[in-house]
Amino acid sequence: MKPEEIPPQENLTKWMEFVLLDFADVPQLQWFLFGLFLVIYLCILLGNGTIVLITKVGPALQTPMYFFLGNFSFLEICYVSVTIPRMLTNLWTQKRTISLVACATQMCFFLIFGGTECVLLAVMSYDRYVAICNPLHYPLVMNHKVCVQMVTGSWVCGIPVMIGHTFQIFSLSFCASNIINHFFCDIPPIIKLACGDTFMNEMLVFIVAALFVAVPFVLILVSYGKIISTVMKLPSSSGRAKAFSTCSSHLIVVALFFGSAIITYLRPKTQNSAGTDKVLSLFYTFVTPLFNPLIYSLRNKEVIMALRKLFCK
């Protein structure tokens, strides 16, 4: 079913709805994609839910690192639940319309959870920096109260900014089309539908992306620069290997998430970038949440032991 496009001369706000094109260009694969994304979504819920559970009940995992990991896994569940259920519904019903309010709500929560994830990954890198570079002060610096404050700050710091940013995006007039060439309401495809000059809007997108993507990424790089410098001074090769093993999982997640997000929001836009944006979005909306539990469990003996005890019970 090909969605009908609203004529360019009409103003979209009169009809108050968009059409998410998602994967309509491959109609023969709709049921296959529905099954594939449903399995991926269930795996994300199961994997990250298990990490949340074992970090709460596992006696060996009651440390700041696993406290942050449990919160990160819970955040991943919230993050994917903003986009995937709607996409599955569209694939099942083949009705791709979404109201203006629902689209704005989806974008707002997606931005809030995405910004929270960026900040939380930076907080997790700081935790590793203190643990490796200042191990004697670690229990004092990263006490439970501080950890709770850092996680709370990660969750709330972006809320007013992202709400204001969403309002600013949807205060534009949309008259060119109501077709969103994407599988959820993301910023780049929405701005392409706006009338008139959107230079200031694109600059605000760049500023917000720099604030919540580039700045945390730079802080992570600085933290790991100091970590690597400290680890390389350790006299024992086994000590260096152990120190690197505690950081490698986090670095893999950082590379997957920030790599795709930076390319999507901070690279120069072209007229034919919709397909690239869609593919990159699959990485930070599917790949990172899916592989997060595997990355942290397969490379961490304490998590594996906690999983074995949980399943034995």
Side-chain angles (χ1 to χ4, degrees):
M1 180 181 71
K2 185 178 179 180
E4 294 185 2
E5 187 172 321
I6 294 174
Q9 67 272 17
E10 300 287 353
N11 192 319
L12 184 59
T13 54
K14 181 179 179 180
W15 282 269
M16 301 293 286
E17 68 176 18
F18 290 106
V19 177
L20 286 167
L21 196 60
D22 55 64
F23 302 99
D25 52 339
V26 283
Q28 68 278 11
L29 296 178
Q30 298 298 292
W31 289 108
F32 169 76
L33 291 174
F34 174 82
L36 175 64
F37 292 136
L38 177 61
V39 170
I40 290 175
Y41 184 51
L42 293 176
C43 289
I44 290 172
L45 295 182
L46 179 62
N48 286 283
T50 303
I51 294 293
V52 173
L53 179 62
I54 63 172
T55 55
K56 291 293 183 183
V57 302
L61 304 183
Q62 304 307 305
T63 63
M65 183 176 76
Y66 296 110
F67 174 75
F68 292 131
L69 177 58
N71 279 275
F72 183 74
S73 295
F74 176 72
L75 175 61
E76 293 281 54
I77 293 173
C78 298
Y79 184 66
V80 298
S81 296
V82 172
T83 57
I84 299 181
R86 180 86 198 194
M87 185 182 65
L88 292 174
T89 302
N90 292 345
L91 288 170
W92 177 268
T93 63
Q94 296 298 298
K95 295 179 180 178
R96 298 182 171 87
T97 57
I98 181 171
S99 70
L100 194 69
V101 174
C103 189
T105 302
Q106 184 186 55
M107 177 187 288
C108 185
F109 278 102
F110 177 79
L111 293 177
I112 288 172
F113 293 141
T116 302
E117 185 160 340
C118 292
V119 177
L120 189 55
L121 284 169
V123 168
M124 294 169 73
S125 71
Y126 175 73
D127 170 71
R128 292 298 84 207
Y129 159 73
V130 177
I132 293 174
C133 299
N134 297 288
L136 297 179
H137 296 92
Y138 182 69
L140 179 63
V141 175
M142 300 301 294
N143 60 68
H144 183 69
K145 182 180 178 181
V146 171
C147 292
V148 171
Q149 290 174 342
M150 295 177 79
V151 167
T152 304
S154 300
W155 277 89
V156 303
C157 68
I159 291 177
V161 176
M162 298 311 181
I163 291 176
H165 194 43
T166 304
F167 179 80
Q168 175 261 328
I169 293 292
F170 282 89
S171 64
L172 295 168
S173 296
F174 302 100
C175 57
S177 169
N178 71 328
I179 305 296
I180 301 174
N181 188 15
H182 214 293
F183 57 88
F184 69 98
C185 293
D186 201 5
I187 294 175
I190 295 291
I191 287 184
K192 287 181 180 179
L193 304 182
C195 309
D197 186 13
T198 59
F199 175 77
M200 288 303 300
N201 303 94
E202 292 173 4
M203 285 301 299
L204 285 173
V205 171
F206 186 86
I207 291 170
V208 172
L211 183 63
F212 283 91
V213 178
V215 171
F217 184 63
V218 170
L219 293 175
I220 290 170
L221 292 180
V222 171
S223 297
Y224 276 102
K226 293 182 177 296
I227 288 171
I228 292 172
S229 175
T230 301
V231 170
M232 294 307 294
K233 295 176 183 177
L234 294 176
S236 167
S237 58
S238 61
R240 290 194 294 269
K242 184 178 180 180
F244 279 127
S245 69
T246 63
C247 302
S248 57
S249 300
H250 182 250
L251 276 173
I252 294 171
V253 173
V254 166
L256 286 173
F257 182 79
F258 277 98
S260 54
I262 287 173
I263 295 172
T264 300
Y265 292 104
L266 296 179
R267 83 180 196 279
K269 298 298 177 183
T270 62
Q271 291 294 323
N272 300 316
S273 63
T276 305
D277 289 342
K278 198 182 295 186
V279 172
L280 289 170
S281 297
L282 288 173
F283 271 89
Y284 58 80
T285 55
F286 283 87
V287 176
T288 304
L290 178 63
F291 285 101
N292 170 46
L294 293 175
I295 292 169
Y296 277 105
S297 61
L298 294 178
R299 301 179 63 86
N300 193 304
K301 293 180 181 179
E302 292 176 327
V303 173
I304 293 174
M305 290 300 297
L307 285 171
R308 286 177 179 172
K309 290 179 181 179
L310 178 64
F311 290 131
C312 288
K313 290 180 181 179

